[in-house]
Amino acid sequence: MMKKLLLIAGCLGCLTALAEQPIRTVDINKSIHIYNDVMRQLDINYVDTLDYEDLLETGINAMLSHVDPYTTYIPKKDDDNLKMMTTGKYGGIGAIIMQRDSVVVISEPYLGMPAQVNGVLAGDTILEVDGMKCFRKSTKEVSDKLRGKADTQVKLVLKRYGEKKTIVKEFDRKEIHLPSVGYYTTLPDSLAKNTGYILFSEFTSNSSREFLSAVDKMVTNDHIERLVIDLRGNGGGIIDEAIQIVGYFVEKGTEIVTTKGKTESSNRSYKTSTNPIYAQMPLVVLVDHNTASAAEIVSGGLQDLKRATLIGQRTFGKGLVQSIRPIAYDGHLKVTTAHYYLPSGRCIQAIDYAERQKGRTVKRDTAGGILPDIVIDDSAKLDIAYSLYAKQMFFDYATRYHHTHPQIASATDFELTQAEIEDFIAFLDEKHFTYETETSKYLKQTLDVARHEDIDSTTLQAIEALEPLLKPSYKDAIMRNMDAIKEALGAEIVERYYFQEGRIAFMLRFDKELRKAIDSFDTNANKE
């Protein structure tokens, strides 16, 4: 027991080593003493046996939750998560899973990864992993079981659509590397001439090399002269990789970002260290509300240096820098060490966590994030497509479609026919799909309140008369929103055959922000 208490004291005490300048040692020692005394009293007096390591982790996580969302404790048992965070690699089967009621289902196997190579399909229900029954297990529990050291064997028992018997798959886990470049292509001449497109998903070790390799191939093979960089949904990562990417397009020695923190080592100036490769190539960067951190350094840096046009929505607004520091017993602390500032001197951090720690109400600063040069309204309609997606009808129909269609046209050519749309509607009938608008839900709540309030009968009847008008036919709603249905359902079907790259290639045909990017190239060319 004393060993466990010493472990707790050691893990807390190691926090004093995080600062490289004098700190309030008396306050920290007092806090550690109080914490140790509470644990000791629990150990002596609490009626039941306690899991002290679990209490320790819970206590640290609760403490860090009052700091900011990015400062986190990573115990030794989560080494795989740390490796994934910094390198984009982990040991596993290479598939995304999702919860469906009481079961866990394969949502997407990655092309070329162990699951896909060994015939695991999207839509397969996971019944067992290495003998563990998965019914009523969470996705985290199943994921933890699927992951493991590379070259160790895993055994899956699956239930597949259209198959009466269960399917058993045994194969080796591998080191899974998720590419930072999710997709790249030279756009067809019918859309834009001599234009490359690259979807960049995260900044991990060597991701800048992946980026450059993709651009080089498009330049060499297809002679592209301009480039669209898609950073939508990119949550960031390693700053050095971001600086390297900006360095491909701006002069050597250009300051891209500065960081300022409590310690001397946190105060740095990041400048490009190599001569530019594509100093004159016209650039457009696509961003959205989920473009954050290192992705904001790239987009904001290129914008400040007037090197690219930004198109999309205001970015997330994460102007904080994290460092990973080792702590006792082979754990790590990912800790916020600095704010970063773009070439113009602006810090795009949207939330002041120091104010939140003081107990003050913190609202998102509307000046946070990066405002694109061309803002595209992305306000989503709560229409039939949203309801179908939320109830996973697109996913389920795509599973059935894949079972009955051995092959389809290419991702860039595939289109749903009217007969297939009618088949989808019949499928919804089989599933007893019901469609209720948000307006209808609110009206029900209004009626519930109105019937208990002092409202005259004439007014109440007028409100009740609206109810049947707000019960839409989902078939009529599908016809009204046919373009959105074809896009969402088509993407789900295409992914079954051509995986993530196929989905992206298909979706680009509908991408209004990409079309705006192409227009901006032409507009800027005319100005010149």
Side-chain angles (χ1 to χ4, degrees), residues 362-391:
V362 179
K363 295 182 179 179
R364 186 176 175 84
D365 184 355
T366 55
I370 297 165
L371 185 68
D373 302 294
I374 301 173
V375 177
I376 306 294
D377 181 16
D378 73 330
S379 52
K381 288 173 61 180
L382 295 177
D383 56 18
I384 183 69
Y386 172 82
S387 182
L388 290 166
Y389 174 82
K391 294 185 179 181

Side-chain angles (χ1 to χ4, degrees), residues 410-430:
S410 69
T412 53
D413 294 327
F414 177 76
E415 287 188 20
L416 286 162
T417 65
Q418 185 58 37
E420 287 168 336
I421 292 295
E422 290 171 3
D423 184 57
F424 176 59
I425 291 173
F427 170 81
L428 296 178
D429 284 338
E430 293 171 22

Side-chain angles (χ1 to χ4, degrees), residues 38-50:
V38 170
M39 295 299 293
R40 189 177 294 109
Q41 291 298 328
L42 280 173
D43 181 45
I44 294 170
N45 297 302
Y46 191 74
V47 63
D48 293 322
T49 302
L50 298 171

Side-chain angles (χ1 to χ4, degrees), residues 164-207:
K164 293 182 179 179
K165 294 183 178 179
T166 58
I167 296 171
V168 178
K169 299 284 184 181
E170 294 186 66
F171 52 89
D172 286 345
R173 299 178 179 88
K174 296 295 181 184
E175 184 174 79
I176 307 301
H177 171 64
L178 301 181
S180 294
V181 176
Y183 180 73
Y184 69 93
T185 188
T186 299
L187 299 176
D189 285 349
S190 59
L191 188 61
K193 290 187 177 181
N194 305 319
T195 303
Y197 166 88
I198 183 166
L199 173 63
F200 195 73
S201 56
E202 60 184 348
F203 294 81
T204 53
S205 297
N206 299 316
S207 58

Side-chain angles (χ1 to χ4, degrees), residues 226-509:
R226 45 194 202 176
L227 180 65
V228 178
I229 304 171
D230 192 345
L231 296 180
R232 291 174 295 185
N234 187 316
I238 301 172
I239 289 183
D240 291 310
E241 298 295 320
I243 305 304
Q244 188 65 47
I245 287 175
V246 177
Y248 298 144
F249 304 104
V250 302
E251 292 302 319
K252 180 180 179 180
T254 302
E255 185 174 81
I256 306 303
V257 68
T258 57
T259 61
K260 299 177 183 178
K262 181 186 292 184
T263 65
E264 190 62 34
S265 63
S266 298
N267 299 327
R268 292 186 58 184
S269 172
Y270 292 81
K271 298 180 180 180
T272 56
S273 59
T274 58
N275 290 318
I277 300 172
Y278 299 110
Q280 303 304 318
M281 179 179 283
L283 302 173
V284 168
V285 181
L286 303 181
V287 296
D288 66 7
H289 301 303
N290 295 314
T291 302
S293 192
E296 290 175 295
I297 290 175
V298 170
S299 54
L302 291 172
Q303 185 187 52
D304 277 3
L305 297 168
K306 302 189 184 309
R307 188 60 191 82
T309 300
L310 267 59
I311 295 176
Q313 299 82 47
R314 186 183 289 275
T315 62
F316 183 79
K318 181 178 180 288
L320 305 176
V321 180
Q322 282 75 48
S323 300
I324 295 175
R325 304 294 178 89
I327 59 176
Y329 295 90
D330 299 319
H332 290 84
L333 184 71
K334 181 165 73 77
V335 57
T336 298
T337 54
H339 289 86
Y340 72 74
Y341 298 83
L342 295 174
S344 62
R346 56 178 169 163
C347 179
I348 53 84
Q349 176 61 26
I351 298 176
D352 188 342
Y353 290 104
E355 290 297 302
R356 190 185 71 171
Q357 291 162 25
K358 297 172 185 176
R360 298 171 184 167
T361 300
V362 179
K363 295 182 179 179
R364 186 176 175 84
D365 184 355
T366 55
I370 297 165
L371 185 68
D373 302 294
I374 301 173
V375 177
I376 306 294
D377 181 16
D378 73 330
S379 52
K381 288 173 61 180
L382 295 177
D383 56 18
I384 183 69
Y386 172 82
S387 182
L388 290 166
Y389 174 82
K391 294 185 179 181
Q392 298 174 324
M393 292 295 103
F394 294 135
F395 183 88
D396 290 346
Y397 182 78
T399 299
R400 189 176 83 166
Y401 188 99
H402 188 214
H403 182 73
T404 56
H405 294 73
Q407 59 186 23
I408 61 172
S410 69
T412 53
D413 294 327
F414 177 76
E415 287 188 20
L416 286 162
T417 65
Q418 185 58 37
E420 287 168 336
I421 292 295
E422 290 171 3
D423 184 57
F424 176 59
I425 291 173
F427 170 81
L428 296 178
D429 284 338
E430 293 171 22
K431 292 289 185 177
H432 305 292
F433 173 74
T434 56
Y435 177 44
E436 184 177 23
T437 65
E438 293 299 310
T439 306
S440 177
K441 292 177 184 178
Y442 284 123
L443 181 64
K444 282 184 178 179
Q445 294 173 10
T446 301
L447 280 169
D448 286 342
V449 174
R451 287 169 182 145
H452 291 85
E453 285 191 321
D454 185 21
I455 293 178
D456 66 84
S457 58
T458 303
T459 302
L460 186 59
Q461 288 172 6
I463 298 173
E464 290 174 336
L466 293 173
E467 198 167 14
L469 300 177
L470 295 176
K471 287 185 176 178
S473 159
Y474 72 78
K475 297 177 185 179
D476 291 342
I478 286 174
M479 295 305 165
R480 286 196 305 273
N481 296 276
M482 184 58 70
D483 288 345
I485 298 298
K486 285 187 173 181
E487 178 183 350
L489 182 56
E492 197 68 54
I493 289 172
V494 164
E495 188 174 294
R496 292 296 198 277
Y497 299 85
Y498 303 111
F499 303 93
Q500 186 63 29
E501 286 193 3
R503 172 188 276 270
I504 297 166
F506 177 83
M507 294 290 285
L508 287 180
R509 293 155 55 184

